[in-house]
Amino acid sequence: MKSIVIQQPNRLDIETRSLPEPAVGEVRVKVKLAGICGSDSHIYRGHNPFAKYPRVIGHEFFGLIDAVGEGVSAARLGERVAVDPVISCGHCYPCSVGKPNVCTSLVVLGVHRDGGFSEYAVVPERNAWTVPDAIPDADAVMIEPFTIAANVTGQVNPTPRDVALVYGAGPMGLTTIQVLKGVYNVGQVIVVDRIEERLEMARQSGADMVINNLNQPLAAVLEAQGIRPTLIVDAACHPSILQEAVLLASPAARVVLMGFSSEPSSITQQSITGKEISIFSSRLNAKKFPVVIDWLSRGLISPAKLVTHTFAYQHVTDAIELFENNQRQCCKVLLTFNE
Ligand code: NAI
Ligand code: MN
Ligand code: ZN
């Protein structure tokens, strides 16, 4: 089989590997589609501190079960599955409180263990979630990015009364906007980015108002309209944003952070406590695959709005470079693995 392997930073090979056999409790997935994410590019470029090389990247993937290991029912052969990249131990403290996404021995497919940019991948059976036939392949491959938004929104129970502010209209901001509007019916979703084309995508994903903060300060625009967000999601993730978000927030607002910057943010206790702001963070997803599959079945989200390009896996280098260099035209880029 062919696998996309990052041998070391900045060296990507399409390697021929022997077909892996599923171990006890595992299934082998014949991959059909995979999505390129910022973290794949970070591993490729050597910017992911968790990555070990060589590594088959890819943690957003969909395919068919074509072999099962010991202890797995043969009835699963042929199932269409989306794969949860989060592998957890099931018994540590975070696992015991429903947060396997921060398991003390967390393994993420495509980061700590070989992932889905490959013609075949072996994964634990319980990570392979059955996708109903009514959900098309191109939506199924987008389940993982929407689980991130499910996790973010699941921290804060959005309501129709909320005035939400989403920083960043990249793939993560857009999935979050769709969930805030389509699932939670949030009354007003405001989106801020510095790229006009991305703000247009935000509108198409349901944003009620978009603000370009390249040439105008966000604070002034919101103040002029008397808007005080009650729910803020930082899907842009610059360390300076937390301070601004807390300043702009309504009293009693919730703020969700998604970033992994190691740069400090500068913020006072008073700015948080004076309004009793709740600050949440969100990493990966905690058992959100069935949640997103349900949303797709009910037509509450529209993944196709995010997909701008599709490449055959043989052109993965072109696909990643386009993804990295063209934020105006590119959002989600998919790879096909049909031979
Ligand atoms: P992206 O880079 O495609 O999108 C970020 C967007 O934010 C861009 O459109 C950019 O123009 C905009 N932006 C940057 N600084 C801004 C500012 N100061 N004000 C307004 N807009 C600004 O990235 P993507 O894939 O959407 O991911 C967003 C972030 O989420 C990344 O930092 C990524 O590391 C993080 N992430 C976190 C996850 C988690 O589980 N916590 C999972 C996936 C991504
Ligand atoms: Mn991703
Ligand atoms: Zn655990």
Side-chain angles (χ1 to χ4, degrees):
M1 67 165 184
K2 297 291 186 191
S3 299
I4 294 166
V5 183
I6 308 301
Q7 306 287 7
Q8 58 188 60
N10 293 308
R11 195 174 134 217
L12 181 154
D13 288 338
I14 299 181
E15 203 173 84
T16 303
R17 292 187 160 192
S18 55
L19 199 58
E21 289 305 325
V24 180
E26 289 186 340
V27 296
R28 185 172 65 207
V29 177
K30 183 176 195 306
V31 178
K32 289 188 84 173
L33 278 169
I36 297 175
C37 178
S39 58
D40 297 309
S41 146
H42 293 153
I43 296 172
Y44 182 21
R45 301 305 176 194
H47 299 154
N48 182 318
F50 306 114
K52 296 250 175 359
Y53 302 88
R55 175 64 62 238
V56 176
I57 52 175
H59 60 271
E60 303 175 2
F61 61 107
F62 162 79
L64 302 179
I65 293 181
D66 91 316
V68 297
E70 203 184 311
V72 180
S73 165
R76 296 207 66 183
L77 287 166
E79 262 183 27
R80 302 168 70 240
V81 291
V83 178
D84 185 346
V86 175
I87 300 175
S88 53
C89 79
H91 52 72
C92 66
Y93 171 73
C95 282
S96 76
V97 296
K99 297 198 174 205
N101 50 323
V102 285
C103 173
T104 56
S105 42
L106 177 69
V107 172
V108 181
L109 289 167
V111 181
H112 309 97
R113 167 177 161 169
D114 284 344
F117 285 6
S118 181
E119 289 183 306
Y120 296 84
V122 287
V123 308
E125 148 175 64
R126 66 177 173 279
N127 287 64
W129 290 91
T130 312
V131 176
D133 288 340
I135 298 175
D137 295 1
D139 285 358
V141 69
M142 295 293 290
I143 293 172
E144 195 278 343
F146 276 91
T147 65
I148 307 293
N151 210 73
V152 164
T153 52
Q155 309 279 40
V156 291
N157 301 313
T159 75
R161 286 189 62 198
D162 272 310
V163 176
L165 172 65
V166 177
Y167 279 90
M172 287 303 110
L174 296 175
T175 55
T176 302
I177 296 159
Q178 286 198 14
V179 172
L180 289 172
K181 292 303 291 187
V183 177
Y184 291 98
N185 301 306
V186 167
Q188 193 178 18
V189 175
I190 302 158
V191 180
V192 58
D193 200 301
R194 354 182 98 171
I195 301 177
E196 210 51 52
E197 289 86 345
R198 288 202 150 185
L199 290 170
E200 180 49 36
M201 290 196 80
R203 276 194 190 286
Q204 281 169 15
S205 277
D208 300 291
M209 181 194 292
V210 299
I211 299 170
N212 189 326
N213 65 342
L214 184 60
N215 299 313
Q216 56 184 348
L218 174 64
V221 179
L222 293 183
E223 201 194 343
Q225 309 206 33
I227 295 170
R228 308 207 77 186
T230 59
L231 170 57
I232 302 182
V233 176
D234 179 11
C237 306
H238 189 277
S240 65
I241 290 174
L242 176 60
Q243 186 180 22
E244 183 183 69
V246 165
L247 182 79
L248 299 176
S250 161
R254 301 90 87 208
V255 176
V256 192
L257 302 179
M258 299 179 63
F260 292 95
S261 170
S262 56
E263 295 295 312
S265 299
S266 165
I267 188 150
T268 63
Q269 294 178 357
Q270 187 182 69
S271 62
I272 300 171
T273 319
K275 296 192 281 189
E276 203 177 84
I277 306 281
S278 301
I279 298 179
F280 294 81
S281 68
S282 183
R283 180 176 183 192
L284 301 163
N285 89 92
K287 300 270 188 294
K288 300 298 189 199
F289 270 64
V291 173
V292 174
I293 290 169
D294 175 58
W295 292 347
L296 280 170
S297 299
R298 289 156 62 202
L300 304 183
I301 50 175
S302 313
K305 289 182 178 170
L306 272 64
V307 178
T308 53
H309 298 79
T310 302
F311 287 79
Y313 79 87
Q314 291 87 344
H315 302 291
V316 60
T317 308
D318 294 340
I320 295 179
E321 281 174 8
L322 180 79
F323 172 82
E324 289 172 338
N325 299 325
N326 197 341
Q327 287 203 321
R328 291 183 187 282
Q329 266 73 45
C330 264
C331 185
K332 185 54 72 180
V333 179
L334 301 181
L335 299 175
T336 59
F337 286 84
N338 310 321
E339 70 267 37

